Each structure stands twice: as structure tokens, then as C-alpha cells.
Amino acid sequence: MPDALDATPYDALLLLSFGGPEGPDDVVPFLENVTRGRGIPKERLKEVGQHYFLFGGVSPINDQNRALLQALREDFAAHGLDLPVYWGNRNWAPYLTDTLREMAADGRRRVLVLATSAYASYSGCRQYRENLADALATLQAEGVDVPAVDKLRHYFNHPGFVEPMTDGVLRALADLPEDVRAGAHIAFTTHSIPTAAADTSGPVESRGDGGAYVAQHLDVARLIADAVRERTGVDHPWQLVYQSRSGAPHIPWLEPDICDHLEERHAAGVPAVVMAPIGFVSDHMEVLYDLDTEATAKAGELGLPVRRSATVGADPRFAAAVRELILERAAVERGREVTPCALGALGPSHDVCPVGCCPARTPRPAAAGADSPYA
């Protein structure tokens, strides 16, 4: 096998995602999985589940992961990369523990993990690693000989992630009425998280004032805004804004909220807004509801023209980026010197999450990091 296509020491890729309900009867059990240990009453979960019931109780995320799986397998086959791809979720079938059990039964001994979250944060990285540790502990208790597990680095600034989003913003701008297009504002959106979690995101040296979470999103937003200016000749004003807040009102979360931002932009005389969900890999429920439903309704009330740009989803360039990240990490593990691919000012992220990276409020074991009990 040519070295460029050599994934050793890895013998499998695991696509690890959040999961989502696939019918009305799944909604409350799914939310119980998501909120387990928080003591939230079932009646409250039914209220929260209304977002899902508006779409027939089906989250699009599982179908989107199926599409990504197909794109990855097609890309690997087309380029001669012989690496099987598995799929497991944190909160719904196919469950992570079941998938790792299947991988062990198939004889997989060294696994790379692709998480469907591109940025550093507790909920976007360490929590995935904690779920991996929980699953591995369960299998060990069953007497399963568990595989070694590593996680691909954060890919927020990889060209295969940034370029499809840039094209999406360009298409959204082109879809606006011509008389408001040049003056359109770009609202780059991502999931709001508690400011305390943002400030401690990333390695220790990244902490404070939004931490790695905010810095990484700002870097991507600048990359896209600069590319849009280069390709259109128009310097569109932009801002990073937030959506999908779900915490207690007394706890500070990242702001401004997208709906508040639309009101502010309208009051300032902005003629149109493109909402660009750079914090999300695919068009899952929070994109469909918070942007396509709630924020679009707010814009309608204001009489403000808006368009929403596409997420990366199963774009072939993203599948190619995953292949490149796999080969890059495999070469590092074999002791080869590589030049990681990354755009922007921040450079490539770390391969192994250091001790103290994106800490939890209550310390728990986390796999695939420098503090992993499964090293």
C-alpha cells in the first residue's frame, strides 16, 4: 500500500454523533437520555419536545449521518483507503456502546473517532470523550477486549470544512433581492454555551474571554468573510452571534442571541441578513427550528429579508478532509513528520487533548486524551 494511503496503526473509523429521535414515540425517551441525572420531570421534557413534534418527532441528524457515512465510504473507496467506517451515537440508536461492542467483535484493535463537532468545548469535545470512557468501561466490565481509541483533531479550520460553508454564504447572498444584497449583514451563528464553559474551553493557555470556543469561531467567521469579499468585491459587515440557549436564566451564556441580533440589525437600518450556522456540521434540529423556524419568523415580523446558508453536511470536500485528517494522524502515530492542513490565524489544533482541556464541572474519566485511563 502506498504510504499516502496508509492508515496504520488504525483499523477503523468511528463516526460519533449526538443522535436524535426518529419518530414521535422516541422524543421523550431521547430527551431523557440527553438530560439523564439532571432530575428534569417528564412533563417538562414533553414541553421541550415540542420542537421535535413540529417535525413529526423526527430529528434530521440521523439521516444526515447516514449521508455522511455514505460520503466517507465512497471517498475512501475512490482513493484506495481500506478503512471500515462505523457509526455510534451518544443519546440514541445506534448507541455508542453497542457500536464499540460490534467493533471489538469484528476484531478492531485501534480506532480513530470523528466527532460531529468541529470546535473545542466541554459539550463539543470532552463530553464525547467522557461518553467514550463510559462505553469502554461498560465493555471492560463485560469482559470485552476493548480497542484503543484516539480522536481526530478539531477540524474547524480545515479547508474541507471552511470552503463548503463559504460557498453556502455566497449562494445565500445571491438568493437575496438584488436591491438589498450589497448591504447585507452576515450573522455567523453557533450554539450558545455558559460563559464559564466558554472561558475554560481548550487547553489551559487558551482560557479566558471566551477561550478556544469563541476564538475558533471568530477565526472561521473571518476566513469566510474574507473569502466572500475576495469573490464578490463586497465587504459585508459580520458578527458572531448565538442560538439554542437552554440553561437557567440566572446563569450567564454567550450573547447576543440571533433573534435579538436581528432586531438590533433591523433597528440599525441593515437591509438584509444572511444567517450562517458555522457552529454546526449539519442541518439538525437546532438549525431547522432555531434558525429556519424561530429566527426566520422574527425576521418576517420585522420585515427584514433573511437567508440561511447551508451547513457542510455530506459535502464531498468534507469527506475528503476527513480522509486527509486520518492519514495525517496515522502518519504521526507511525513517527512520520507531517504538516497539518489548516487555514486562518490559529493553526492546526492538538492531536491529543491535554490534561485540563475543556474541564467538566464534576471530573469524570475521559478517553482519547492525555488523561485517558485507556491509553
Side-chain angles (χ1 to χ4, degrees):
M1 177 182 294
D3 188 65
L5 295 177
D6 187 1
T8 56
Y10 298 105
D11 56 15
L13 176 71
L14 169 61
L15 175 64
L16 176 55
S17 193
F18 193 81
E22 300 202 76
D25 293 341
D26 296 345
V27 173
V28 172
F30 162 73
L31 292 173
E32 287 175 333
N33 288 342
V34 174
T35 61
R36 193 173 306 283
R38 302 183 201 172
I40 298 176
K42 183 171 288 190
E43 290 307 311
R44 173 58 182 152
L45 294 180
K46 289 180 180 178
E47 294 176 15
V48 174
Q50 291 305 312
H51 293 181
Y52 292 94
F53 292 129
L54 287 173
F55 296 89
V58 178
S59 168
I61 193 171
N62 280 351
D63 276 346
Q64 290 161 1
N65 281 324
R66 293 182 184 102
L68 179 55
L69 281 170
Q70 182 66 21
L72 291 170
R73 289 167 177 157
E74 289 177 357
D75 178 272
F76 292 2
H79 290 86
L81 177 59
D82 184 16
L83 193 71
V85 186
Y86 296 74
W87 170 35
N89 289 325
R90 292 169 47 195
N91 299 297
W92 202 249
Y95 288 104
L96 170 60
T97 303
D98 295 335
T99 301
L100 283 172
R101 187 183 292 110
E102 176 189 359
M103 297 177 83
D106 288 347
R108 309 305 175 194
R109 305 307 312 143
R110 190 80 187 270
V111 175
L112 259 178
V113 175
L114 167 66
T116 54
S117 177
Y119 301 86
S121 70
Y122 170 73
S123 58
C125 184
R126 186 174 178 90
Q127 194 169 17
Y128 282 82
R129 294 175 49 224
E130 290 176 352
N131 293 147
L132 280 166
D134 291 343
L136 293 170
T138 297
L139 297 184
Q140 278 193 336
E142 296 173 358
V144 175
D145 187 11
V146 300
V149 176
D150 292 328
K151 179 178 175 291
L152 286 172
R153 66 178 172 90
H154 299 301
Y155 46 83
F156 63 93
N157 56 2
H158 194 286
F161 188 68
V162 175
E163 290 170 2
M165 291 190 294
T166 300
D167 288 348
V169 171
L170 289 165
R171 288 192 298 269
L173 284 166
D175 193 47
L176 283 167
E178 188 174 358
D179 60 332
V180 299
R181 189 179 304 151
H185 172 96
I186 306 173
F188 293 105
T189 77
T190 190
H191 204 302
S192 184
I193 61 175
T195 56
D199 291 346
T200 58
S201 59
V204 173
E205 60 269 21
S206 300
R207 293 185 182 174
D209 195 23
Y213 185 75
V214 171
Q216 289 170 0
H217 281 87
L218 286 172
D219 204 37
V220 171
R222 289 188 193 100
L223 283 167
I224 296 173
D226 288 349
V228 168
R229 182 181 64 250
E230 290 170 5
R231 291 169 62 175
T232 65
V234 179
D235 191 7
H236 291 274
W238 62 269
Q239 186 172 340
L240 178 63
V241 302
Y242 302 92
Q243 61 176 90
S244 313
R245 175 184 172 136
S246 59
H250 68 281
I251 297 176
W253 282 51
L254 293 173
E255 295 178 336
D257 175 78
I258 178 61
C259 289
D260 295 338
H261 181 68
L262 292 176
E263 290 184 340
E264 293 166 358
R265 294 298 84 205
H266 178 256
V270 167
V273 173
V274 166
M275 301 181 292
I278 61 172
F280 305 90
V281 172
S282 62
D283 289 5
H284 56 65
M285 183 57 67
E286 286 168 319
V287 175
L288 292 186
Y289 182 80
D290 295 336
L291 296 184
D292 293 356
T293 305
E294 191 173 45
T296 300
K298 171 59 70 175
E301 294 172 11
L302 298 169
L304 177 66
V306 294
R307 297 293 186 272
R308 198 265 290 174
S309 66
T311 52
V312 172
D315 190 289
R317 289 169 291 183
F318 182 46
V322 173
R323 169 172 42 85
E324 292 169 7
L325 289 166
I326 291 167
L327 296 174
E328 170 196 299
R329 179 63 182 275
V332 169
E333 292 298 313
R334 296 195 306 272
R336 298 289 301 275
E337 186 173 336
V338 300
T339 302
C341 185
L343 301 174
L346 297 180
S349 184
H350 46 262
D351 279 328
V352 179
C353 292
V355 175
C357 191
C358 302
R361 289 189 298 258
T362 303
R364 293 177 53 201
D371 55 355
S372 171
Y374 301 98

